[in-house]
Amino acid sequence: MKHQVRLIKLLMHPVSLSLMVTVIIVLLFIPTPAKYKLQIEDETTTHKTTLICYDDLDGNGFSDKICAQDYASENQVASLLIWYNPGLFFNEWDFPGSFSFGQKSFIKTGDYDNDGKKEVYLLSIRSDSVFLNIIRNPKSKTAGITTRFITTVTFWNGKPNLNVYMADLADMNGDSFGDLVFSVNSGFSAEPRGLYVYDIRHDSLGVSPKKGYFGRPEIVRDINGDGFPEIILNGYACQNVLDTIANPVHDRCCWLIVYDHNLNYLFPPKKFPAIGYSVLTSVVFPGKPGPYDLFSCYCPPASPGATVQLYHLDHHGLTLRTCSIPGILSEGGGNFFPFRQGGSNYMAISASRREIDCFDTSLGLTRRITIKPGMFTQPFNLDIDADGKHEILSLDAERHLLTVFRPDLTDPAILRLPDEEWSGSQMSVIESPDADRLLSLFNGKKELMLSYTYNPFYYSRWGVYAVIFLSIYLFTILVGRIQRSQLLKQQQTEKKITELQLKIVRNQMDPHFTLNAINSVVDAINREEKEEARENLLHFSKMYRSLVLSADKIKRSLREEIDFTENYLALERFRFGQRFSYYIRINPDVELTWEVPKMVIQSPVENAVKHGLLDKTCGGIIEIHARHEDHKLILEITDNGAGRESSALAGKTSTGKGMEIMEQFFGLYYKITGTRVQSKVFDLQDEAGNASGTKVIVTIPLS
């Protein structure tokens, strides 16, 4: 008993009450802010522009703006414009042809001779041919275009149907000069579908063996330790051209293809035999004991029971281990991405729209991240905040969402983009020594300038929580002091003393209401029923407000008493799992403004809930009826519980504290107001003589 008293005192302490209310408010109404934030700083509409990207071409620390414009529909002339920062002066180059490619990856910048100045490399189409155009020292007014023929193309519906991809420069022949690695893939014809290496220094072009598979050079690494980089293709079985069947490496299924520096196969292409649209994506990590190991994610054709397959291979193409991941990659197989955490390498795979699975290099599942749809779609990386680490970006064009994760796939920042078409958008980072970096997002019609910064409200939210707690705590202390002050003033007369005694009796009831209300709300939160928790918190606040506002009163209007009782019943009904229903009926000749003693209805209702309906699992009924008779207000509270006699026969006892409190209440009420309130309790029986409930009749004379 002592422990219970101590527990009640602890729970009713202002600090405890304030803390519980603060937790409820924070969980229901205050969302946790993101640690980092994305926001649009500027928005520009463009015309006749095919591509906009940024890079520091002259090594002065400022990003220069590279703009490709395509006038193919007018005069078959394409232009490249470069604005140099600072100063914003520009150079322009015009050349015949167009940039009619399916993807906006036809421009690459790089410093092949390591002189601190970057060249610009871009592919173009002229008539039925693809050309590589090189602008050396583009800042010079006299810089011209060096053009090299690459391949001829076929047309689809009168137009070229090509996808090109340019990888970063790599020294493929060991001469300490960079070489350009790129692919040209026709969408609806068997040719060209090739990989190319252009030796910039010696002006020579290497071409891979003829193949029908649709792939692009994603990885250029020395994976076998021979001192020369190899090229790994990522691709998919597009099944666009039946003619590719004649080629041993066709596009009816996926292939793992690795080229050496001479563009010969490092090992025979590894076939994934399932026929149908499928995707293969690979990454490399430092190997044991070899220089690098391959990790490939294979998304097979969609079919019942199909699963994503993760492979660990050595640089000879031999499979070391595999694992299966339930589901099919929802965004065409591109949701496979490497990242680092704590100095170790990991792979992230999203085989569903709501989860990211993270694996270590032994193919063990290390963690699972819950996401919203679209947060991990075709991810790629950029160092946006200049911390030397690459953030992971995801652009969901369908949902108009841009998400930026930290390098270890934590703390996503989400931005909803304007409702436009964002598929195939170009992203690049804008650097400036005297300003924060910006992210450029260009979709062909509009360019957005985005900032990615630390959110100062992330940690300051604890200050907000503290302010909420202190406000509630101070309010509780203030209410307590007001009550104590009022009680001290009431000691001047006998009436004040009697009212003080009445308050003491009433305060014995307050813990019942408070603890029941808090338990109901906490239970709802634990079950994640936030709407019901919000409703019950509203009922609790109304009851608490009524108690505070009537702290120095012994009576109130019938309307207020019914409202107070109805809030109590709503809380108890939710707490007991809808075991009972209640009905309130007020005759038309009853005025709701008539004053009645406080708790005159609530107390017998509480007794009915706690004792009469306690053993009922369903079907409990409480009826409240108010009627006017012979200048008296008659209140009837009826329940269909066990009844007093049946409870006594069953060995169940009640402390009788509730009825005792009400008898004391009515006695003190008579001393103060001169109105004698009578209360009678009746046990109800059915036709067979069995107990069928209890009825309490309260009679209040009307003055």
Side-chain angles (χ1 to χ4, degrees):
M1 186 66 181
K2 292 182 179 179
H3 295 296
Q4 293 178 347
V5 172
R6 290 177 181 175
L7 179 60
I8 291 176
K9 287 183 177 179
L10 177 62
L11 292 176
M12 296 306 298
H13 193 277
V15 173
S16 301
L17 288 175
S18 301
L19 182 60
M20 286 186 285
V21 175
T22 300
V23 171
I24 293 170
I25 291 175
V26 169
L27 290 176
L28 290 179
F29 304 109
I30 304 179
T32 301
K35 192 172 183 179
Y36 294 85
K37 62 178 181 178
L38 271 173
Q39 61 184 26
I40 299 174
E41 301 294 341
D42 193 16
E43 182 175 330
T44 306
T45 301
T46 60
H47 300 283
K48 298 181 179 179
T49 301
T50 305
L51 183 144
I52 294 176
C53 61
Y54 294 82
D55 198 2
D56 181 8
L57 299 178
D58 52 8
N60 64 355
F62 290 87
S63 292
D64 305 309
K65 183 177 181 180
I66 304 170
C67 180
Q69 295 182 340
D70 195 344
Y71 303 98
S73 61
E74 299 177 3
N75 51 15
Q76 293 294 316
V77 173
S79 297
L80 182 73
L81 295 88
I82 301 178
W83 280 266
Y84 293 93
N85 285 304
L88 291 179
F89 73 93
F90 73 94
N91 281 350
E92 178 179 358
W93 295 265
D94 296 328
F95 49 90
S98 69
F99 304 126
S100 301
F101 298 109
Q103 294 175 317
K104 295 181 175 65
S105 53
F106 56 86
I107 289 182
K108 177 63 63 174
T109 59
D111 182 9
Y112 92 100
D113 54 2
N114 302 309
D115 65 351
K117 312 294 183 183
K118 292 185 178 181
E119 306 82 35
V120 179
Y121 308 88
L122 67 158
L123 295 168
S124 63
I125 299 176
R126 187 193 315 168
S127 185
D128 64 348
S129 301
V130 176
F131 292 90
L132 173 64
N133 308 277
I134 305 171
I135 305 176
R136 291 180 171 86
N137 191 19
K139 196 170 186 179
S140 171
K141 289 290 186 179
T142 60
I145 301 176
T146 301
T147 302
R148 293 291 177 266
F149 169 79
I150 302 299
T151 183
T152 58
V153 300
T154 56
F155 286 74
W156 178 262
N157 291 333
K159 296 181 180 180
N161 183 256
L162 290 179
N163 287 281
V164 297
Y165 183 83
M166 304 178 77
D168 292 331
L169 299 186
D171 182 8
M172 298 298 297
N173 53 18
D175 63 355
S176 300
F177 285 82
D179 304 303
L180 183 64
V181 179
F182 61 95
S183 62
V184 178
N185 288 291
S186 175
F188 294 100
S189 63
E191 295 182 9
R193 289 188 178 179
L195 178 69
Y196 301 84
V197 173
Y198 179 65
D199 185 338
I200 305 168
R201 181 187 182 195
H202 299 101
D203 190 21
S204 63
L205 183 68
V207 185
S208 66
K210 184 179 295 187
K211 63 176 180 60
Y213 186 58
F214 199 104
R216 65 184 194 178
E218 292 280 2
I219 305 168
V220 182
R221 296 281 194 284
D222 181 11
I223 66 172
N224 62 357
D226 65 352
F228 297 96
E230 283 73 41
I231 305 170
I232 304 173
L233 296 188
N234 284 341
Y236 62 97
C238 56
Q239 301 188 98
N240 286 346
V241 184
L242 292 176
D243 293 346
T244 63
I245 297 177
N247 192 298
V249 185
H250 52 74
D251 73 349
R252 316 305 289 171
C253 61
C254 281
W255 302 80
L256 175 60
I257 301 175
V258 182
Y259 295 100
D260 63 17
H261 66 286
N262 292 317
L263 292 186
N264 297 316
Y265 294 131
L266 183 65
F267 51 80
K270 187 177 181 65
K271 182 179 181 181
F272 294 79
I275 301 298
Y277 181 85
S278 51
V279 182
L280 181 69
T281 310
S282 299
V283 300
V284 296
F285 292 129
K288 296 179 181 179
Y292 284 93
D293 283 353
L294 282 166
F295 295 87
S296 296
C297 179
Y298 174 58
C299 181
S303 62
T307 60
V308 172
Q309 301 293 318
L310 185 59
Y311 293 84
H312 178 195
L313 309 100
D314 64 12
H315 61 272
H316 299 294
L318 299 177
T319 300
L320 303 179
R321 58 175 66 90
T322 65
C323 75
S324 298
I325 307 167
I328 295 295
L329 293 181
S330 57
E331 306 294 343
N335 298 353
F336 176 60
F337 200 76
F339 70 97
R340 288 182 63 82
Q341 182 180 11
S344 300
N345 296 304
Y346 296 90
M347 294 159 283
I349 303 172
S350 177
S352 70
R353 290 179 178 266
R354 297 190 178 274
E355 289 180 341
I356 301 175
D357 291 333
C358 300
F359 294 85
D360 57 22
T361 53
S362 63
L363 303 191
L365 180 64
T366 59
R367 63 178 166 135
R368 179 164 287 164
I369 305 171
T370 301
I371 59 173
K372 296 179 180 179
M375 285 178 60
F376 199 67
T377 304
Q378 305 289 340
F380 60 99
N381 56 19
L382 283 173
D383 183 8
I384 309 175
D385 57 1
D387 63 351
K389 300 178 181 179
H390 286 74
E391 285 70 42
I392 301 173
L393 290 79
S394 167
L395 175 61
D396 185 346
E398 178 182 351
R399 299 175 185 84
H400 304 94
L401 292 179
L402 177 63
T403 305
V404 178
F405 294 89
R406 300 303 298 160
D408 58 354
L409 265 181
T410 58
D411 300 318
I414 305 173
L415 174 67
R416 178 167 181 81
L417 301 172
D419 291 336
E420 296 185 13
E421 177 57 54
W422 294 101
S423 61
S425 296
Q426 177 72 24
M427 291 192 198
S428 55
V429 175
I430 306 174
E431 299 181 71
S432 176
D434 53 5
D436 293 333
R437 286 189 175 190
L438 293 176
L439 178 65
S440 168
L441 177 63
F442 176 69
N443 68 350
K445 296 180 180 179
K446 181 174 293 185
E447 182 184 16
L448 301 180
M449 297 292 188
L450 311 176
S451 63
Y452 174 72
T453 56
Y454 178 79
N455 188 357
F457 295 105
Y458 179 72
Y459 285 115
S460 64
R461 75 188 191 280
W462 295 107
V464 175
Y465 301 161
V467 169
I468 295 174
F469 170 78
L470 289 175
S471 300
I472 297 173
Y473 176 73
L474 293 175
F475 175 76
T476 305
I477 296 297
L478 178 62
V479 170
R481 289 185 176 180
I482 292 174
Q483 289 178 330
R484 288 192 294 270
S485 175
Q486 291 173 342
L487 290 175
L488 290 174
K489 293 179 181 178
Q490 291 169 355
Q491 291 178 349
Q492 297 175 4
T493 62
E494 182 63 28
K495 180 178 178 180
K496 301 296 184 181
I497 296 175
T498 305
E499 289 182 354
L500 175 60
Q501 294 172 341
L502 182 60
K503 288 182 179 181
I504 294 174
V505 174
R506 177 179 53 77
N507 286 339
Q508 292 175 347
M509 302 176 65
D510 282 348
H512 296 286
F513 296 128
T514 304
L515 292 175
N516 287 345
I518 291 175
N519 285 337
S520 299
V521 175
V522 171
D523 285 344
I525 293 175
N526 289 335
R527 295 193 304 269
E528 297 185 358
E529 298 173 352
K530 292 190 175 182
E531 189 60 35
E532 296 187 3
R534 185 180 290 108
E535 292 178 3
N536 282 276
L537 182 60
L538 183 60
H539 290 309
F540 170 75
S541 67
K542 288 181 178 178
M543 293 180 66
Y544 192 82
R545 180 175 180 272
S546 177
L547 286 173
V548 172
L549 294 179
S550 62
D552 59 342
K553 299 177 182 178
I554 63 172
K555 56 185 177 180
R556 56 187 168 196
S557 69
L558 178 61
R559 183 194 308 276
E560 292 172 332
E561 178 64 18
I562 289 175
D563 289 343
F564 185 90
T565 304
E566 191 168 7
N567 284 321
Y568 166 79
L569 282 170
L571 286 168
E572 291 293 82
R573 186 169 182 264
F574 176 75
R575 187 168 72 94
F576 285 108
Q578 316 296 330
R579 294 184 189 178
F580 67 89
S581 301
Y582 61 91
Y583 305 90
I584 300 175
R585 181 159 54 95
I586 301 173
N587 284 8
D589 57 348
V590 174
E591 297 290 339
L592 292 176
T593 57
W594 290 344
E595 291 188 330
V596 298
K598 287 176 60 175
M599 310 294 186
V600 68
I601 299 177
Q602 191 274 341
S603 185
V605 164
E606 180 180 5
N607 208 51
V609 172
K610 289 185 176 180
H611 305 296
L613 305 179
L614 184 63
D615 292 336
K616 280 188 172 292
T617 58
C618 63
I621 297 175
I622 294 177
E623 296 182 353
I624 301 171
H625 181 204
R627 55 188 174 86
H628 180 209
E629 180 178 317
D630 296 331
H631 301 287
K632 297 177 182 178
L633 175 62
I634 311 298
L635 301 173
E636 297 180 358
I637 298 93
T638 308
D639 68 78
N640 66 344
R644 293 180 302 170
E645 294 181 0
S646 297
S647 296
L649 291 174
K652 299 177 181 177
T653 60
S654 170
T655 63
K657 191 175 182 68
M659 299 306 298
E660 179 183 347
I661 289 175
M662 287 310 299
E663 289 299 324
Q664 295 178 26
F665 185 93
F666 292 149
L668 294 173
Y669 189 84
Y670 173 69
K671 290 182 182 180
I672 297 171
T673 65
T675 301
R676 189 178 298 277
V677 179
Q678 295 181 342
S679 174
K680 296 182 180 180
V681 183
F682 302 91
D683 289 316
L684 305 179
Q685 296 180 341
D686 58 18
E687 295 179 357
N690 298 319
S692 61
T694 304
K695 175 181 287 188
V696 178
I697 300 178
V698 180
T699 304
I700 306 172
L702 298 173
S703 58

